[in-house]
Amino acid sequence: MRKWWVLAFSLLFVAVSGVFFVSRVSAPAPSGRELPTPLRDHLAARVVEALEHDPTFRTEVTREPGTQPVCVASVFGVAPDWAATGDEARTIYSWVKCSWVSPADFAKGPANLDISQLSGLSMPVSLHLGPPVTYQAPADGGEYADSIRRIFPKPLEAAASSHPVPSLSHALQKRILHVVGSPPSPPSSTPS
């Protein structure tokens, strides 16, 4: 009788272990793991570079000629989940905060620029590194929640739905002042 109990327990253990293994192997990536700071900073720089030079993103808020976005990013996920370097990443999930700076704003210079008057946005994005590089952003209004579920993996939906790191506003102000103090960069003619 005791052998039967040991056999039943062993079979149950094997079955549960198999289910656990299959669920771990087939679990959706990314899991929302905490990324090391150097990798997170590198990926954030890639997001900023891609969006600031994307011809479509340049017109996300305004179509005024010569106006360019200035952005900062806070990365909250990457795919594949195991990516340990920027070269291994295929998709970056990030909050971005951007303001659009016009040629007239550049002419004012950093000392006379009223940053609070600049057009801007703050939103989560999914940046696919391609080629070509593309991005997805959630829809406005009533479609926002559905688009978050469609764009971001389940483990990252909460991060995509929450407000970005409060320090993004301060970082964006510093970056705008730095960029306005430098000569404006011409729009990129290469599609992304």
Side-chain angles (χ1 to χ4, degrees):
M1 178 89 164
R2 183 176 177 158
K3 288 182 184 180
W4 178 83
W5 185 81
V6 171
L7 179 63
F9 181 78
S10 297
L11 289 174
L12 180 63
F13 178 78
V14 169
V16 169
S17 297
V19 169
F20 178 77
F21 176 76
V22 169
S23 70
R24 291 296 295 162
V25 169
S26 63
S31 66
R33 70 178 168 105
E34 182 66 29
L35 299 173
T37 300
L39 176 59
R40 196 173 55 243
D41 291 348
H42 173 75
L43 295 174
R46 288 183 76 178
V47 169
V48 167
E49 175 74 18
L51 292 178
E52 287 182 353
H53 291 92
D54 183 86
T56 303
F57 190 77
R58 281 181 169 264
T59 61
E60 187 77 34
V61 168
T62 181
R63 296 192 189 287
E64 184 182 328
T67 302
Q68 71 178 59
V70 177
C71 302
V72 292
S74 176
V75 173
F76 58 84
V78 65
D81 186 47
W82 49 261
T85 67
D87 292 337
E88 293 173 339
R90 293 291 145 243
T91 304
I92 304 169
Y93 302 101
S94 176
W95 266 93
V96 295
K97 187 167 182 73
C98 304
S99 290
W100 271 252
V101 182
S102 71
D105 296 323
F106 278 101
K108 291 176 189 174
N112 297 315
L113 180 65
D114 183 359
I115 293 175
S116 67
Q117 296 301 309
L118 300 177
S119 298
L121 61 73
S122 179
M123 66 183 180
V125 296
S126 171
L127 184 76
H128 307 283
L129 297 174
V133 175
T134 59
Y135 72 94
Q136 289 179 284
D140 291 331
E143 297 178 31
Y144 185 82
D146 287 338
S147 62
I148 289 287
R149 284 189 289 277
R150 188 177 61 257
I151 296 169
F152 299 94
K154 185 103 176 123
L156 299 179
E157 286 176 12
S161 297
S162 65
H163 294 289
V165 179
S167 63
L168 278 182
S169 294
H170 179 68
L172 180 59
Q173 288 178 1
K174 284 178 57 175
R175 184 137 194 284
I176 290 168
L177 294 175
H178 173 74
V179 169
V180 169
S182 306
S185 60
S188 174
S189 61
T190 57
S192 49

